[in-house]
Amino acid sequence: METIKLIVFLPLLAAIVAGLGNRMLGNFAAKLVTTGALFISCALSWPIFISFLNGSAEAHVVPVLDFIRSGSLDVQWALRVDALTAVMLVVVTSVSSLVHLYSWGYMEEDPSQPRFFAYLSLFTFAMLMLVTADSLVQMFFGWEGVGLASYLLIGFWYHKPSANAAAIKAFVVNRVGDFGFSLGIFGVFLVFGTVSIPAILEAAPGYAGSTIGFLGYRVDTLTLLCILLFIGACGKSAQLGLHTWLPDAMEGPTPVSALIHAATMVTAGVFMVCRLSPLFEQSHTAMTVVTYVGAATALFAATVGTTQTDIKRVIAYSTCSQLGYMFFAAGVGAFGAAMFHLFTHAFFKALLFLGAGSVIHAMHHEQDMRYYGALRKQIPLTFYAMMAGTLAITGVGIAGVFGFAGFYSKDAIIEAAFASGTEAGGVAFAVAVFSALLTSFYSWRLIFLTFYGKPRWSGSEHIQHAAHDHGHGHDDHHHAHDDGTAGYHPHESPVTMLVPLALLAIGAIFSGWYFHEWFIGAETGGGFWKGSLAFNEHLMHAMHEVPIWVKYSATAVMLAGFGIAWMAYIRDTTIPARFTATFSGLYQFLLNKWYWDELYDLLFVRPSLWIGRQFWQRGDIGTIDRFGPHGAAELVQQGSKLAARFQSGYLYSYAFVMLLGLVGLATWMIVQ
């Protein structure tokens, strides 16, 4: 009982110590306190996870305190521990502890290390509060907490205008999603009379088919509630329409990208849908919406990822695409497969982000892959780590023998979409296979551009000039033409950065192979997930019995993607230029991210700025200042000058004024 409290509150305590102690505490002490707290939380989380795997643990709730009592609203602050929580505990604490350790090397020369580590620990605490929530109000607290910590971490280098803009963009876009989420919570309380998650899920079947008034119409109650809640998930998990903040969030330090935007915060939406899966299952329409949005996101992000040249943005769009896979898995009812992919994805995506950080560190903060090449001999350990991550995300494996993490989890989602037998599932299956082809292409494109071919970072083409301040923008793009000085020679990262890469590589290699039976086994999965999410045993059986061509479709497109990338970036490097010249319209469309940012700029940003300028120029300056501070101040000033003229110091002047006063008073009395 006390163990779960330690897991959750140790990161908060560490964040308070490091944040308030700041530079008085010193860099080393702040790093030691926060990293130590996270490793303790991680060490305590794994036994809980293992106990649920072997069936020796039962779901339970640990009360913390009474939170809100107002009328019929009774919110208890309690920590729920079940199989779903156990999975998220190991994901959050494992990735966060390794990111803390990695940051020792990556942020070594930053002058604000205590602040950075305090933010990391604060984020981890908020995420742990979210995944242990026993009520929707407590989940909302963690939901908003990770949003705040994300804002602080994305804008950590606040002296950079681009970082500030990215932080504000993430905060505003998430507020749009959170508005839908909060409406969903209000609606749930209105309908069910409680915000307790177990009580809501137990009562949900009784409301199937009922209707409720909304915006002047009668709509299906559970469909409305699920879609409102899903809007919140779209914002937090960067689904199509509310995805625009995620790529820009790469402005934060690379460890932030690995922690928040690959492994933990962006999976909060998937976790929420799976936590409320018995509620979502009651609405076929809501499940269909989740399926189509997830499939559309997977396709959109995969197509955009093929054209990006910034190494972190490629991985960011990859994250967006993989989240789409998780959502449409949940949409077709394969909640276990969605959580399995969330679990494996945390390891290999964090590995890819931290590996990219190691490359950026080696390349003196250059992020453009066009100025890499032939780095496998310069930074071999980073190369092997990123190869493990790439083999995992592309789904390399042999059925019945061994496969990397994505081979089990991503292929399971593709098979589940086909096995669902629905129209939405069929569309999701087709999109998933094509997206897997694109995933393989852009993943191997990244590897080939970065580690193979000729070096493009020295000699007569491009070189790295002297470093700008390490503490002020590690991830800035930085390249220039050769001016005759010696080229910069890449170097391997320090051991504090390599150890996390090695441990995450183990997860990327073995997590799918070792855990797949517990997560998606037709019988074992039902036992593992019992009481924590809806597990469709019929779908799990059907998933394992799909036609052979379905089982091998993901492997076939993975090999095709690898072959295309090898042809274009190893064998004949003129192919990309010729392709973009031939299909320039398509290339520009994908390079500009389907013009979503331009569309939002036209529809929302410019009108908002225009309205703001009107209020500022005409309202604030033209009206309030004119007749308020400026007008009143001017009136007082002129009145003071006039009054000062009567202050001559001569007796006859004062007598004259008194006489005028008496005449005025007498006149008023006579008139009255």
Side-chain angles (χ1 to χ4, degrees):
M1 181 176 290
E2 296 304 319
T3 300
I4 186 64
K5 291 183 180 179
L6 282 174
I7 292 171
V8 173
F9 290 107
L10 269 177
L12 174 63
L13 180 62
I16 292 172
V17 171
L20 296 182
N22 210 321
R23 297 185 184 180
M24 179 180 68
L25 192 65
N27 291 343
F28 180 77
K31 292 189 290 189
L32 188 64
V33 168
T34 53
T35 308
L38 260 298
F39 271 95
I40 292 172
S41 290
C42 180
L44 296 174
S45 297
W46 276 94
I48 294 175
F49 176 59
I50 293 169
S51 66
F52 277 98
L53 285 179
N54 59 33
S56 63
E58 293 288 334
H60 60 280
V61 177
V62 178
V64 177
L65 51 84
D66 290 341
F67 186 41
I68 299 173
R69 283 183 180 172
S70 176
S72 60
L73 178 64
D74 186 1
V75 181
Q76 301 295 313
W77 202 277
L79 306 178
R80 181 171 186 80
V81 184
D82 57 15
L84 191 60
T85 305
V87 171
M88 295 304 295
L89 286 178
V90 296
V91 166
V92 174
T93 58
S94 298
V95 174
S96 183
S97 58
L98 293 176
V99 166
H100 272 73
L101 179 59
Y102 179 93
S103 299
W104 280 53
Y106 195 86
M107 304 295 289
E108 184 179 4
E109 297 179 31
D110 196 285
S112 301
Q113 292 177 58
R115 179 167 63 92
F116 179 77
F117 281 85
Y119 288 170
L120 284 184
S121 294
L122 177 65
F123 166 80
T124 308
F125 162 71
M127 191 67 195
L128 290 171
M129 288 304 306
L130 192 160
V131 301
T132 57
D134 192 47
S135 72
L136 290 178
V137 171
Q138 186 180 333
M139 183 181 285
F140 191 73
F141 171 83
W143 196 270
E144 294 304 305
V146 293
L148 169 64
S150 172
Y151 170 79
L152 295 173
L153 285 164
I154 295 169
F156 178 75
W157 286 319
Y158 53 82
H159 60 277
K160 294 170 58 181
S162 57
N164 287 326
I168 293 171
K169 186 176 183 179
F171 202 76
V172 170
V173 173
N174 271 276
R175 294 295 70 72
V176 176
D178 293 352
F179 179 66
F181 188 44
S182 59
L183 286 180
I185 295 174
F186 297 151
V188 166
F189 180 69
L190 178 68
V191 172
F192 293 93
T194 180
V195 290
S196 169
I197 293 174
I200 293 165
L201 300 184
E202 184 180 352
Y207 288 88
S210 65
T211 61
I212 190 174
F214 182 71
L215 299 178
Y217 297 92
R218 300 298 297 182
V219 296
D220 184 82
T221 303
L222 298 186
T223 296
L224 173 66
L225 297 180
C226 289
I227 289 178
L228 287 173
L229 294 168
F230 178 61
I231 290 171
C234 286
K236 198 66 71 184
S237 296
Q239 293 302 282
L240 191 66
L242 295 176
H243 67 279
T244 54
W245 67 271
L246 183 63
D248 286 18
M250 299 303 107
E251 286 291 338
T254 298
V256 173
S257 305
L259 176 62
I260 296 182
H261 310 115
T264 52
M265 188 185 93
V266 292
T267 61
V270 180
F271 166 80
M272 185 266 286
V273 171
C274 290
R275 170 62 82 200
L276 301 177
S277 52
L279 180 66
F280 275 80
E281 274 202 326
Q282 301 303 317
S283 172
H284 173 73
T285 302
M287 293 283 278
T288 302
V289 170
V290 173
T291 304
Y292 278 119
V293 171
T297 305
L299 177 64
F300 155 74
T303 58
V304 175
T306 60
T307 62
Q308 301 302 300
T309 55
D310 184 314
I311 188 170
K312 285 173 64 177
R313 283 182 178 265
V314 174
I315 304 172
Y317 279 106
S318 171
T319 297
C320 198
S321 181
Q322 297 305 308
L323 288 166
Y325 274 87
M326 297 175 208
F327 273 111
F328 75 67
V332 299
F335 297 102
M339 286 304 301
F340 186 35
H341 196 49
L342 185 157
F343 178 76
T344 60
H345 175 264
F347 292 107
F348 62 70
K349 189 51 63 68
L351 173 61
L352 287 170
F353 262 119
L354 295 185
S358 184
V359 172
I360 293 166
H361 183 271
M363 293 301 295
H364 220 56
H365 321 306
E366 171 64 73
Q367 290 179 218
D368 195 323
M369 296 185 298
R370 292 172 295 182
Y371 306 109
Y372 290 169
L375 289 176
R376 69 186 186 280
K377 295 178 182 178
Q378 308 292 328
I379 46 174
L381 299 178
T382 299
F383 164 68
Y384 290 125
M386 291 202 71
M387 278 295 291
T390 302
L391 292 168
I393 192 173
T394 55
V396 174
I398 300 174
V401 181
F402 178 78
F404 291 81
F407 175 75
Y408 295 95
S409 60
K410 188 167 70 173
D411 287 22
I413 289 176
I414 293 173
E415 292 162 11
F418 181 87
S420 68
T422 63
E423 180 181 341
V427 172
F429 167 74
V431 167
V433 172
F434 182 62
S435 298
L437 169 68
L438 298 178
T439 300
S440 179
F441 169 75
Y442 67 64
S443 297
W444 289 111
R445 170 178 175 262
L446 185 153
I447 291 293
F448 294 149
L449 280 174
T450 304
F451 296 105
Y452 288 86
K454 296 179 181 179
R456 298 179 297 278
W457 38 267
S458 65
S460 60
E461 293 186 28
H462 290 81
I463 62 111
Q464 308 301 320
H465 287 299
H468 47 283
D469 187 358
H470 288 195
H472 299 278
H474 280 64
D475 299 77
D476 284 342
H477 294 238
H478 194 271
H479 53 261
H481 287 284
D482 188 5
D483 62 356
T485 57
Y488 180 77
H489 295 287
H491 56 87
E492 192 60 274
S493 298
V495 67
T496 52
M497 293 172 65
L498 294 176
V499 168
L501 290 180
L503 294 174
L504 288 169
I506 294 172
I509 296 169
F510 296 108
S511 61
W513 169 76
Y514 188 78
F515 292 108
H516 74 278
E517 276 299 323
W518 280 291
F519 280 84
I520 56 173
E523 287 80 22
T524 53
F528 177 65
W529 294 118
K530 184 178 180 181
S532 60
L533 58 71
F535 188 83
N536 189 331
E537 292 189 18
H538 172 73
L539 180 60
M540 285 298 107
H541 281 288
M543 188 183 87
H544 293 295
E545 296 170 3
V546 295
I548 194 71
W549 68 269
V550 174
K551 283 185 174 292
Y552 285 103
S553 59
T555 300
V557 295
M558 177 272 295
L559 293 172
F562 171 83
I564 295 169
W566 181 81
M567 284 291 294
Y569 295 98
I570 297 296
R571 183 168 182 179
D572 184 0
T573 55
T574 65
I575 291 177
R578 287 190 280 121
F579 180 88
T580 55
T582 305
F583 301 98
S584 58
L586 175 63
Y587 175 71
Q588 288 299 323
F589 180 68
L590 299 181
L591 185 64
N592 288 283
K593 304 156 287 189
W594 290 25
Y595 293 101
W596 276 96
D597 282 301
E598 289 77 5
L599 178 64
Y600 283 174
D601 184 64
L602 181 65
L603 294 180
F604 302 114
V605 178
R606 292 183 187 179
S608 298
L609 291 174
W610 182 85
I611 292 170
R613 278 193 297 269
Q614 297 309 305
F615 277 115
W616 171 40
Q617 295 287 352
R618 297 188 179 182
D620 193 9
I621 297 175
T623 305
I624 297 174
D625 285 353
R626 180 181 176 187
F627 297 105
H630 293 170
E634 181 69 20
L635 185 62
V636 170
Q637 184 181 24
Q638 296 302 324
S640 299
K641 289 181 178 178
L642 181 62
R645 294 180 181 179
F646 293 99
Q647 303 298 321
S648 64
Y650 295 108
L651 182 60
Y652 62 80
S653 295
Y654 298 123
F656 178 66
V657 173
M658 290 174 65
L659 180 61
L660 288 178
L662 288 171
V663 170
L665 179 62
T667 303
W668 181 76
M669 292 294 290
I670 293 169
V671 171
Q672 289 296 103

